[in-house]
Amino acid sequence: MKALVKTQKGVGFIEVREAPEPVPGPGEVKIKIAACGVCGTDVHVWHDTFPYWPPVILGHEFTGTVVDLGHDCKYYKPGDRVVAEPHTKACGVCHLCRTGNIQICPEKRSPGWGIDGGMAEYICYPERLLHRIPDGMSWDQAAVVEPTANVVTDMIERTGILAGDFIVILGPGPIGLLAAMVARAAGARDVVIIGTPGDEALRLKKARELGFNKTINIAQTDPIKAVLDMTGGIGADIVVECSGAPKAIPVTVDLVRKRGKICVIGLTGNRNVEVPWDKFAFKVVDVIFNLSTCYTSWDRTIHLIHSGAVPAEKVITHREPLENWGKVFDDIENLKALKALLIP
Ligand SMILES: [Zn+2]
Ligand SMILES: [Zn+2]
């Protein structure tokens, strides 16, 4: 079968290769891949800035149809359309696994970097990590369940957004835009999306197309003054940090209200961040850090997307065959793509 493979350690070393078709082991199903989203993780593996075990097939945001079963499969059958939690190799016995946090088990090695992923014609996958998708759900919708489930975990399950909340989002990339949609679905009274001049042409424009009219380009408008004006001088109930930018992160505390919450989603790529610590203390804010997806967020996300409450598929800008991965990765880096799908 065809597969997009990181062939060895180092910067680069990605190619489309012929790979052996996988055979399902006990408890595994074989899935014919319909689409696989490109995530920042895949780009980091390309640049050698994320751990990985080569040679490895890229991609963890995949969806497809079950075509075969290994021994001892109980819950799925050929023809089922599925999406998959990327929590493979979690040990099942450590403190985190036993407390329901397999997504941050130290043994976890996800598809796309730890084990072979979904940028291929087929993948074999443990059925305990699958979720069925409804008949009427499109492959586009299914392919964006994983990134959306991240935002649902972070904002709904962990930060506890409430109907009527005033939300500010920093960083209008795919995750920031998904965060805005989830905030709206959760009943936010207003969602302000803040970006840089580089975000104007595609990302902030897309935000407005999605109906978020309160976009702020920091080169044109002072975001702190604007948010205080919009909230009667109080500040936002929740600030969602999706930029990972060391310059933006300290501003979160100026945007949030006293006793408000800062939901941290973006990563800096190991850059240090200087923050006005005492300001956080005097504002008595809750800062909620996040990583990966909780089991419970998946079916919630599938329903939100399928019902149209979160039209997550609207962040898709590219659908390309595996062979065009180079252009797709370039476009992502140059802010010319939001979410890209590779179709094997
Ligand atoms: Zn991802
Ligand atoms: Zn574990």
Side-chain angles (χ1 to χ4, degrees):
M1 65 169 186
K2 254 188 316 176
L4 187 64
V5 180
K6 174 82 184 192
T7 58
Q8 61 177 87
K9 284 276 179 192
V11 179
F13 299 114
I14 290 182
E15 62 187 52
V16 177
R17 266 191 184 178
E18 203 48 42
E21 211 170 292
V23 178
E28 286 184 352
V29 304
K30 182 177 176 183
I31 299 166
K32 182 170 177 19
I33 304 287
C36 185
V38 182
C39 178
T41 316
D42 301 302
V43 178
H44 285 305
V45 170
W46 182 35
H47 292 317
D48 200 33
T49 50
F50 191 85
Y52 58 99
W53 282 260
V56 66
I57 300 172
L58 298 178
H60 63 269
E61 299 181 1
F62 62 88
T63 180
T65 308
V66 175
V67 291
D68 199 5
L69 307 176
H71 290 297
D72 306 328
C73 283
K74 291 193 198 77
Y75 305 105
Y76 289 82
K77 57 180 190 323
D80 286 342
R81 299 164 73 235
V82 294
V83 290
E85 295 178 45
H87 313 320
T88 34
K89 303 253 181 205
C91 73
V93 294
C94 74
H95 175 75
L96 287 161
C97 285
R98 296 298 301 272
T99 52
N101 294 288
I102 65 166
Q103 70 276 9
I104 49 171
C105 169
E107 301 287 312
K108 171 178 145 177
R109 279 168 55 176
S110 294
W113 51 269
I115 62 167
D116 281 338
M119 292 180 183
E121 292 176 70
Y122 297 96
I123 190 171
C124 289
Y125 212 76
E127 64 168 358
R128 67 187 158 79
L129 294 173
L130 299 179
H131 294 259
R132 228 173 246 105
I133 59 168
D135 288 341
M137 194 170 203
S138 69
W139 291 127
D140 273 6
Q141 290 178 317
V144 289
V145 166
E146 195 271 347
T148 311
N150 272 276
V151 170
V152 167
T153 298
D154 305 345
M155 293 172 65
I156 294 184
E157 299 198 345
R158 287 180 47 77
T159 305
I161 182 171
L162 294 174
D165 275 348
F166 187 101
I167 308 291
V168 173
I169 292 171
L170 281 79
I175 290 290
L177 294 176
L178 292 173
M181 291 185 221
V182 167
R184 184 161 60 189
R189 75 171 185 268
D190 250 324
V191 181
V192 176
I193 303 179
I194 301 176
T196 62
D199 295 320
E200 192 60 59
L202 176 63
R203 297 166 160 211
L204 289 175
K205 181 165 162 269
K206 174 69 93 174
R208 290 186 290 269
E209 280 167 24
L210 292 167
F212 298 103
N213 295 318
K214 294 186 170 124
T215 59
I216 293 176
N217 173 344
I218 55 166
Q220 292 165 0
T221 307
D222 175 357
I224 299 169
K225 182 175 182 308
V227 166
L228 290 177
D229 284 350
M230 283 185 256
T231 55
I234 290 174
D237 296 301
I238 297 175
V239 175
V240 187
E241 206 315 290
C242 300
S243 76
K247 270 193 184 155
I249 291 166
V251 179
T252 55
V253 74
D254 295 312
L255 296 166
V256 75
R257 67 168 164 83
K258 279 193 177 176
R259 293 296 312 272
K261 296 177 179 180
I262 298 169
C263 172
V264 181
I265 303 181
L267 293 173
T268 65
N270 269 328
R271 291 173 289 176
N272 281 330
V273 179
E274 204 168 300
V275 290
W277 194 245
D278 287 4
K279 244 191 213 178
F280 285 77
F282 286 115
K283 275 203 163 173
V284 199
V285 289
D286 293 337
V287 182
I288 296 125
F289 288 91
N290 299 285
L291 200 68
S292 195
T293 53
C294 296
Y295 165 75
T296 45
S297 70
W298 279 72
D299 288 328
R300 187 188 300 277
T301 299
I302 290 167
H303 291 302
L304 284 169
I305 294 176
H306 182 234
S307 70
V310 174
E313 70 278 8
K314 290 191 176 160
V315 300
I316 299 171
T317 54
H318 291 50
R319 295 168 193 80
E320 295 286 338
L322 292 181
E323 291 77 8
N324 293 355
W325 71 271
K327 161 144 180 59
V328 169
F329 281 40
D330 279 341
D331 281 357
I332 290 172
E333 287 218 297
N334 298 325
L335 307 183
K336 288 184 190 152
L338 283 161
K339 181 55 74 179
L341 305 187
L342 292 177
I343 315 286

